[in-house]
C-alpha cells in the first residue's frame, strides 16, 4: 500500500518555509499542533464536569488567561485545516486507507501500546515544553527563539538517546 | 507592515487564515510523507532522513525570510511571538517528547496528518495525547514547579549568545548543509546502497553550492536600524543629503491657520520637557525608535498629509528625516532652523528698524502680527497626559 511518490523533501521544506513565513507575516505567530489538543481536552472536561474545572488549578489558570470557548482558538482552526489538507493530499496521491502501520517484526499489540504510550508522553511533554516540533521547534527556529530551539535540541536528543531501546519496534 | 493582525486582519478573519494555513500545512506534510510513522522514525534509525531535510530547510527558509522582511521594513519583529524560555521544562519536556517519538512514532502535527489519511496507529496516538494532557492537567500541582522554573523571558538565540543575527543564521545554514550531506551518506550506507563514485557527487555539490549561497545571503539582511543610525552619525552624508525645508514663516502661517489647513502634520522629535513648554496643533510626538515600528508608521503613510519633521534644532530633524526617507516614507520636510529658530525669529521677533525692500516690509508685517497672535493661540495646545500606547506582542504559543 506504500505509494512512494512523495514530494522531494527539500522542495517540501522550501514550501513549508514559505508557508511559515507567510503565517508569521500575516498573524505574527508561527505554526503549532499540541495547543489544539490542549484546547480540545480543556473543552471536553469543561463540558463533562464544569464544577471540576472550577476547582482544579490547571483549568482555573487557563480560564483566567483565556476567556470564551477554548475551541475558539487559532490552533484549533489550524489543526482542523491540517486534517483537511492532509486528507486531500492523501486523496490526490491515492494514499487513503485504514492501516495500522508497524515495524516488520512488531506485533500489533505492541504497536498499539506504543502509539498510546507515545501519545501520552507527547501530551505531557508538549505541555511541559510549551509546544511540540511544529510550535516550539520549527516556529522557534524561524524566529530564532532560545526557548524554542532549546526544546528542539531536547526533543532530538531524547529521541536519539532512547532510540536504541525501541529499535525492535521499527527495524 | 506586518504582522497584519490585528488591524488589517481582524481576529475573526485570523481564524479563517488559521484554517487555510492549516490546510496548506497538512497538504505539504502529507505530500512529504509525514503521514507514515515508519518514515518519520527513520530519522532516528538512519534509514530515512526526510524529516531532517524538510524540517531544517523549512526552518532556515523561514528564518532568512523573517530577516529579509525585517530588513525591508515589511515586518515589525518587535511584535511577533517569540517562544518563552523556561529552561527546565524545555529540557525535560523535550526529552519526554523525544522518548514519545521513538515509542509512538509520531509528534502531534504528523499524527493529525496520518490520522487524516486513515492511519489507525495515528488515531490511537492522538487518543494518547489527550490522555497525556489530562494527566498533566490533573497532576498539575506536581508539575507546576518544574513548569514555571527558570523563566528568562522571550530571548532570541543571538541575544542569549551575544552574536549577531546574521552570524547565527549563517551558522545554522552551515550546520544544516553539513547535516544534509552527512545524513545522505549514512542513509545510503544503512540502506545498503553502494555509492558509485560519481552518482552522489552532483547531489552533494548542489546541496553544498545552494547552502553556500544561502549562507552568504544570510549576511545581507543586516539590522536596518543599526545601519541607519550609524549612517546619520556621518556628518558628510547628513550635510549632502537633500531634504526639503519649511521656512519658519510658512510654519507660522500654517499655525495661524491651523483649523483651515488639514494637509500638514508635524512629527515632533523634541523631548517631553520641551513639548510641555511649547506645543503645536496637528502634532504627533515621535522617538527615533518609532520610525521602525508598525503603529507610528501608519501616521507617516497618510496620503493627504505632508510630514513636517520638527525638533529643537535643525540637525536632529534632518537626521530623523534622512532615516525616514531611507525607510521609504515620503512627503517629508523639516522645519528650517528647528523650533529654536522659530522661537527666535517669530515668537521673539525684533522688527527690522527701517525696512527698505518690499520683502523686508512684508516679513516685518507678517512677523509682527504672528508674534502678537501666536503665543496665546499656542497655549491652547498644551499636551494632555499622553496615554502611552503599550506595544503588545502577538499572543502565540501552544
Amino acid at each position: 500500500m506504500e505509494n512512494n511518490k512523495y514530494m522531494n523533501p527539500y522542495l517540501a521544506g522550501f514550501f513549508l518555509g514559505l508557508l511559515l513565513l507567510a503565517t508569521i507575516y500575516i498573524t505574527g505567530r508561527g505554526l503549532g499542533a499540541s495547543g489544539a489538543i490542549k484546547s480540545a481536552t480543556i473543552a471536553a472536561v469543561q463540558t463533562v464536569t464544569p464544577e471540576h474545572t472550577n476547582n482544579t488549578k490547571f483549568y482555573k489558570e487557563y480560564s483566567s488567561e483565556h476567556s470564551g470557548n477554548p475551541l475558539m482558538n487559532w490552533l484549533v482552526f489550524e489543526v482542523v485545516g491540517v486534517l483537511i489538507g492532509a486528507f486531500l493530499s492523501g486523496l490526490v496521491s491515492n494514499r487513503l486507507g485504514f492501516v495500522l502501520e508497524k515495524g516488520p517484526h512488531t506485533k500489533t499489540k505492541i504497536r498499539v501500546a506504543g502509539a498510546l504510550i507515545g501519545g501520552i508522553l507527547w501530551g505531557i511533554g508538549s505541555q511541559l515544553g510549551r509546544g511540540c516540533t511544529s510550535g516550539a521547534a520549527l516556529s522557534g527556529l524561524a524566529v530564532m527563539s532560545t526557548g524554542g530551539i532549546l526544546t528542539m535540541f531536547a526533543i532530538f536528543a531524547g529521541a536519539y538517546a532512547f532510540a536504541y531501546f525501541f529499535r525492535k519496534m521499527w527495524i | 507592515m506586518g504582522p497584519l493582525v490585528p488591524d488589517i486582519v481582524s481576529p475573526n478573519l485570523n481564524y479563517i487564515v488559521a484554517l487555510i494555513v492549516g490546510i496548506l500545512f497538512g497538504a505539504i506534510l502529507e505530500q512529504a510523507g509525514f503521514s507514515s510513522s515508519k518514515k518519520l522514525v527513520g530519522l532516528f534509525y538512519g534509514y530515512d532522513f526526510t524529516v531532517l531535510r524538510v524540517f531544517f530547510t523549512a526552518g532556515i527558509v523561514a528564518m532568512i525570510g523573517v530577516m529579509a522582511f525585517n530588513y525591508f521594513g515589511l515586518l515589525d519583529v518587535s511584535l511577533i511571538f517569540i517562544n518563552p524560555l523556561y529552561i527546565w521544562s524545555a529540557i525535560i519536556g523535550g526529552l519526554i517528547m523525544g522518548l514519545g517519538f521513538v515509542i509512538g512514532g509520531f509528534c502531534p502535527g504528523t499524527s493529525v496528518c496520518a490520522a487524516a489519511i486513515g492511519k489507525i496507529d495515528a488515531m490511537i496516538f492522538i487518543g494518547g495525547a489527550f490522555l497525556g494532557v489530562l494527566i498533566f492537567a490533573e497532576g498539575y500541582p506536581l508539575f507546576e514547579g518544574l513548569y514555571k522554573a527558570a523563566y528568562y523571558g522571550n530571548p532570541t538565540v543571538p541575544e542569549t549568545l551575544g552574536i549577531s543575527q546574521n552570524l547565527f543564521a549563517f551558522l545554522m545554514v552551515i550546520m544544516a548543509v553539513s547535516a544534509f550531506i552527512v545524513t545522505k551518506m549514512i542513509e545510503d550506507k544503512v540502506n545498503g546502497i553502494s555509492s558509485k563514485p560519481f552518482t552522489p557527487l552532483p547531489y552533494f555539490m548542489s546541496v553544498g553550492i545552494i547552502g553556500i549561497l544561502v549562507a552568504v545571503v544570510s549576511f545581507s539582511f543586516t539590522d536596518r536600524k543599526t545601519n541607519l543610525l550609524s549612517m546619520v552619525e556621518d556628518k558628510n552624508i547628513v550635510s549632502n543629503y537633500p531634504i526639503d525645508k519649511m521656512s519658519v514663516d510658512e510654519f507660522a502661517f500654517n499655525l495661524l491657520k491651523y483649523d483651515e489647513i488639514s494637509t500638514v502634520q508635524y512629527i515632533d522629535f523634541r523631548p517631553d520637557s520641551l513639548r510641555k513648554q511649547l506645543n503645536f496643533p496637528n502634532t504627533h510626538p515621535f522617538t527615533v525608535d518609532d520610525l521602525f515600528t508598525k503603529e507610528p508608521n501608519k501616521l507617516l503613510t497618510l496620503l493627504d498629509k505632508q510630514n513636517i519633521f520638527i525638533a529643537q534644532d535643525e540637525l536632529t530633524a534632518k537626521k530623523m528625516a534622512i532615516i525616514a526617507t531611507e525607510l521609504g516614507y515620503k512627503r517629508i520636510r523639516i522645519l528650517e532652523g528647528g523650533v529654536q529658530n522659530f522661537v527666535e525669529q517669530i515668537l521673539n521677533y525684533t522688527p527690522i528698524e527701517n525696512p527698505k525692500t518690499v520683502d523686508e516690509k512684508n516679513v516685518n508685517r507678517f512677523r509682527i502680527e504672528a508674534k502678537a497672535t501666536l503665543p496665546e493661540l499656542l497655549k491652547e495646545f498644551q499636551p494632555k497626559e499622553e496615554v502611552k500606547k503599550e506595544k503588545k506582542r502577538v499572543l502565540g504559543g501552544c
Side-chain angles (χ1 to χ4, degrees):
Chain A
M1 228 69 63
E2 282 286 7
N3 187 328
N4 281 319
K5 299 214 185 80
Y6 290 125
M7 190 190 284
N8 176 297
Y10 297 113
L11 186 63
F14 180 69
F15 286 142
L16 185 54
L18 291 183
L19 176 65
L20 181 51
L21 178 62
T23 307
I24 294 176
Y25 173 71
I26 298 175
T27 70
R29 56 156 304 146
L31 304 166
S34 61
I37 299 183
K38 170 185 174 176
S39 295
T41 310
I42 293 179
V45 174
Q46 271 183 5
T47 321
V48 172
T49 49
E51 334 81 53
H52 183 68
T53 53
N54 289 332
N55 297 329
T56 315
K57 186 149 196 221
F58 179 79
Y59 305 103
K60 280 203 295 196
E61 254 184 41
Y62 179 85
S63 303
S64 66
E65 288 161 20
H66 306 85
S67 59
N69 189 338
L71 290 178
M72 285 300 278
N73 175 301
W74 199 90
L75 279 176
V76 171
F77 279 81
E78 193 234 62
V79 165
V80 170
V82 171
L83 278 169
I84 298 174
F87 175 77
L88 291 174
S89 164
L91 179 67
V92 161
S93 300
N94 204 19
R95 281 193 281 265
L96 294 180
F98 287 109
V99 174
L100 185 95
E101 212 176 348
K102 57 191 177 69
H105 309 293
T106 316
K107 295 200 188 63
T108 307
K109 274 191 302 196
I110 304 284
R111 178 71 190 110
V112 167
L116 190 64
I117 296 174
I120 292 175
L121 288 170
W122 271 96
I124 300 176
S126 62
Q127 292 311 302
L128 261 180
R130 292 178 175 78
C132 63
T133 45
S134 318
L138 185 61
S139 309
L141 190 53
V143 299
M144 303 194 212
S145 124
T146 310
I149 291 177
L150 179 61
T151 307
M152 174 180 88
F153 278 123
I155 295 176
F156 281 100
Y160 277 110
F162 296 115
Y164 175 77
F165 301 102
F166 299 96
R167 66 198 184 285
K168 286 286 181 352
M169 291 176 74
W170 304 106
I171 50 181
Chain B
M1 199 178 197
L4 302 182
V5 167
D7 353 272
I8 298 181
V9 173
S10 71
N12 282 331
L13 181 57
N14 201 7
Y15 290 135
I16 310 284
V17 170
L19 187 66
I20 297 176
V21 163
I23 294 177
L24 294 170
F25 189 26
I28 294 173
L29 285 184
E30 206 288 320
Q31 280 296 308
F34 282 32
S35 46
S36 152
S37 50
K38 273 196 291 192
K39 199 164 168 64
L40 290 168
V41 298
L43 167 65
F44 304 112
Y45 294 101
Y47 60 82
D48 190 335
F49 284 99
T50 304
V51 171
L52 190 97
R53 294 179 188 130
V54 175
F55 189 90
F56 263 126
T57 307
I60 288 181
V61 165
M63 181 196 289
I64 295 190
V66 168
M67 283 169 64
F69 274 36
N70 184 31
Y71 179 79
F72 290 111
L74 291 169
L75 179 66
D76 184 352
V77 293
S78 64
L79 292 177
I80 63 179
F81 176 74
I82 299 190
N83 313 62
L85 175 62
Y86 289 81
I87 295 188
W88 293 117
S89 60
I91 294 176
I92 305 213
L95 291 174
I96 296 178
M97 290 192 264
L99 177 61
F101 215 145
V102 289
I103 295 182
F106 290 109
C107 72
T110 51
S111 67
V112 170
C113 248
I117 69 167
K119 294 281 160 72
I120 301 175
D121 49 334
M123 297 177 198
I124 299 173
F125 180 93
I126 295 177
F130 274 107
L131 282 178
V133 173
L134 208 56
I135 293 174
F136 184 82
E138 298 303 316
Y140 191 56
L142 294 171
F143 295 108
E144 195 179 353
L146 177 63
Y147 184 64
K148 294 184 178 165
Y151 174 56
Y152 288 94
N154 305 55
T156 61
V157 175
E159 283 167 24
T160 309
L161 296 181
I163 60 176
S164 77
Q165 281 196 344
N166 303 87
L167 182 57
F168 178 69
F170 178 75
L171 291 172
M172 287 265 81
V173 174
I174 299 290
M175 197 169 101
V177 171
S178 323
F180 294 157
I181 294 179
V182 168
T183 55
K184 177 70 173 160
M185 298 196 299
I186 296 176
E187 199 181 68
D188 284 348
K189 196 131 194 221
V190 168
N191 289 329
I193 299 174
S194 56
S195 40
K196 297 196 191 108
F198 290 101
T199 355
L201 200 55
Y203 183 94
F204 293 141
M205 277 189 66
S206 24
V207 167
I209 291 175
I210 294 179
I212 292 176
L213 283 175
V214 175
V216 166
V217 160
S218 69
F219 269 116
S220 39
F221 301 123
T222 48
D223 186 31
R224 204 98 217 265
K225 190 166 173 178
T226 334
N227 288 346
L228 287 175
L229 288 178
S230 49
M231 177 186 177
V232 296
E233 290 311 310
D234 184 332
K235 293 197 173 67
N236 273 330
I237 295 180
V238 173
S239 53
N240 291 327
Y241 202 100
I243 298 277
D244 293 331
K245 300 191 199 182
M246 174 186 269
S247 68
V248 289
D249 291 306
E250 187 183 345
F251 183 53
F253 182 77
N254 284 331
L255 290 175
L256 288 169
K257 302 274 178 209
Y258 76 93
D259 49 353
E260 292 165 32
I261 298 177
S262 64
T263 51
V264 180
Q265 65 183 1
Y266 305 107
I267 310 295
D268 193 344
F269 289 91
R270 293 177 302 153
D272 280 354
S273 50
L274 290 177
R275 287 193 304 114
K276 281 204 176 65
Q277 293 169 17
L278 176 63
N279 200 31
F280 307 106
N282 303 324
T283 305
H284 303 285
F286 253 63
T287 62
V288 62
D289 296 318
D290 286 338
L291 290 170
F292 296 93
T293 54
K294 189 169 71 137
E295 269 297 312
N297 143 337
K298 293 196 281 198
L299 289 170
L300 294 174
T301 50
L302 296 167
L303 289 173
D304 60 336
K305 299 253 191 259
Q306 291 179 48
N307 302 312
I308 314 298
F309 282 31
I310 63 178
Q312 188 62 7
D313 62 294
E314 186 183 306
L315 182 62
T316 307
K318 186 165 191 189
K319 288 184 187 175
M320 299 298 108
I322 291 174
I323 294 178
T325 310
E326 286 293 308
L327 289 172
Y329 296 115
K330 305 218 183 319
R331 299 177 298 283
I332 298 174
R333 287 197 282 162
I334 57 176
L335 178 59
E336 191 172 19
V339 174
Q340 65 198 14
N341 191 30
F342 166 75
V343 169
E344 211 178 299
Q345 300 278 15
I346 306 279
L347 295 182
N348 296 333
Y349 183 57
T350 24
I352 304 172
E353 296 272 313
N354 288 314
K356 297 200 179 53
T357 67
V358 177
D359 274 343
E360 283 183 350
K361 289 204 182 109
N362 284 334
V363 165
N364 242 10
R365 200 165 6 131
F366 173 71
R367 291 189 184 183
I368 290 171
E369 191 180 319
K371 178 177 174 179
T373 323
L374 277 177
E376 272 307 307
L377 192 150
L378 289 177
K379 277 217 186 73
E380 273 181 57
F381 299 103
Q382 288 295 328
K384 307 172 223 53
E385 278 306 310
E386 283 280 340
V387 178
K388 270 286 170 195
K389 213 166 175 206
E390 264 295 324
K391 237 179 24 164
K392 290 196 39 206
R393 277 193 185 270
V394 171
L395 291 174
C398 312

